[in-house]
Amino acid sequence: MVEEDPRAHHFAQGVGGACLLASAMLTLWGLTAAGSVLGLLVIALATLNLSRKICMGCLMYFQYRRMRFALLRR
């Protein structure tokens, strides 16, 4: 077992939850096409995570950290 920092996974879960919430809100506001596309995007990324072990939310987190480090280093 490898101990891993859970912050990347928490960030990914938060992004997924926010996208699903936005999808539900768009659907309730009558923008069903946009809500469906956003919901299908979440399903596609979850399938990518399950099938290929690629977590796009984690990759987003690491890019955010890299960009933040580059900006704060100046």
Side-chain angles (χ1 to χ4, degrees), residues 49-73:
N49 190 5
L50 286 172
S51 65
R52 303 285 183 204
K53 304 290 189 235
I54 299 172
C55 178
M56 290 305 293
C58 296
L59 292 175
M60 287 171 54
Y61 175 77
F62 291 123
Q63 288 297 320
Y64 160 73
R65 292 285 304 236
R66 186 173 162 210
M67 183 177 60
R68 184 174 160 223
F69 177 75
L71 290 174
L72 292 178
R73 190 176 56 168

Side-chain angles (χ1 to χ4, degrees), residues 10 14 19 25 29 32 37 40 42 47 54 56 60 63 70:
H10 292 168
C19 287
M25 296 306 293
W29 288 335
T32 55
V37 167
L40 289 173
V42 171
T47 303
I54 299 172
M56 290 305 293
M60 287 171 54
Q63 288 297 320

Side-chain angles (χ1 to χ4, degrees), residues 18-37:
C19 287
L20 286 176
L21 181 63
S23 173
M25 296 306 293
L26 286 170
T27 303
L28 287 175
W29 288 335
L31 301 169
T32 55
S36 296
V37 167

